[in-house]
């Protein structure tokens, strides 16, 4: 099973992100645009792991408190385009503890430094003067009320993400 821990977004946040994707398309960006149902914030990518109950137990050992997440800027990692989130030290500390709980329970995960971003377009290309079209960054915020354990399966038209567990906040 291919697993990851993530924050899923409410409808207003998804709408802000999809409207921004439409602006990118209108300015000539091409690539694999993330479908609305796949827009999320990955906290820890676990990958192939056959014990989701162990992941839930480890993740549940770290108390989650609801947090406001606000969109803040855009960027890219090579040809992957993303929307960023405003820095929040309390949330960053939570993610560090969450990843620590995974490590303490010998659950493997991608150890890259946590850089909160929402993938918008993969394999992006843009025909224009600059890498980023001159488009206002997306605006939006949401209250994250919990963390989802997600399963990722390859479908006929891309990845399909399914929530298989949820850890709620206070």
């Amino acid at each position: 099973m291919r697993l990851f821990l993530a924050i899923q977004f409410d409808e207003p946040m998804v709408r802000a992100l999809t409207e921004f994707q439409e602006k990118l398309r209108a300015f000539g960006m091409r690539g694999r645009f993330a479908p609305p149902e796949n827009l999320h914030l990955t906290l820890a990518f676990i990958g192939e792991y056959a014990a989701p109950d162990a992941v839930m137990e480890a993740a549940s050992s770290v108390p989650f408190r609801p947090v406001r997440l606000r969109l803040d800027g855009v960027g890219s990692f090579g040809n992957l385009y993303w929307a960023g989130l405003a820095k929040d030290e309390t949330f960053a500390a939570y993610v560090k503890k969450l990843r620590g709980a995974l490590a303490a329970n010998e659950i493997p995960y991608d150890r890259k430094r946590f850089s909160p971003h929402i993938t918008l377009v993969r394999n992006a290309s843009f025909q224009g003067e600059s890498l980023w079209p001159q488009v206002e960054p997306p605006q939006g915020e949401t209250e994250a009320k919990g963390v989802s354990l997600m399963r990722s399966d390859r479908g006929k038209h891309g990845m399909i993400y399914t929530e298989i567990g949820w850890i709620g906040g206070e």
Side-chain angles (χ1 to χ4, degrees):
M1 223 182 282
R2 190 176 161 155
L3 304 173
F4 62 96
L5 290 163
I7 300 287
Q8 296 194 81
F9 300 123
D10 59 14
E11 182 58 34
M13 180 71 117
V14 170
R15 189 171 38 257
L17 294 165
T18 56
E19 286 172 2
F20 182 71
Q21 288 176 315
E22 288 306 314
K23 288 179 185 177
L24 293 176
R25 279 187 180 98
F27 275 83
M29 186 168 284
R30 301 291 174 254
R32 286 192 343 254
F33 284 76
E37 63 273 13
N38 284 6
L39 295 169
H40 67 275
L41 171 63
T42 299
L43 306 180
F45 179 77
I46 297 160
E48 292 295 330
Y49 194 70
D53 291 341
V55 176
M56 285 298 294
E57 188 174 324
S60 295
S61 73
V62 182
F64 181 86
R65 290 181 177 77
V67 60
R68 298 283 318 157
L69 299 175
R70 183 175 52 81
L71 293 172
D72 185 32
V74 291
S76 65
F77 302 129
N79 65 357
L80 184 144
Y81 281 69
W82 49 262
L85 293 169
K87 289 184 182 183
D88 182 307
E89 295 304 322
T90 302
F91 184 63
Y94 167 77
V95 173
K96 185 175 181 177
K97 288 178 188 172
L98 177 67
R99 290 170 162 220
L102 295 174
N105 286 277
E106 299 180 356
I107 297 168
Y109 65 95
D110 185 343
R111 303 231 176 192
K112 287 182 197 139
R113 182 178 63 84
F114 179 61
S115 177
H117 67 280
I118 303 146
T119 299
L120 299 173
V121 188
R122 295 179 190 280
N123 298 325
S125 62
F126 177 70
Q127 304 300 322
E129 298 174 13
S130 67
L131 201 54
W132 268 106
Q134 297 302 308
V135 180
E136 261 315 293
Q139 303 293 313
E141 65 178 56
T142 189
E143 181 177 36
K145 296 180 180 172
V147 174
S148 298
L149 176 59
M150 305 295 290
R151 185 181 79 215
S152 174
D153 298 297
R154 190 166 303 283
K156 187 175 181 180
H157 300 288
M159 300 308 288
I160 300 168
Y161 301 148
T162 306
E163 182 182 75
I164 60 173
W166 192 77
I167 301 142
E170 298 174 348

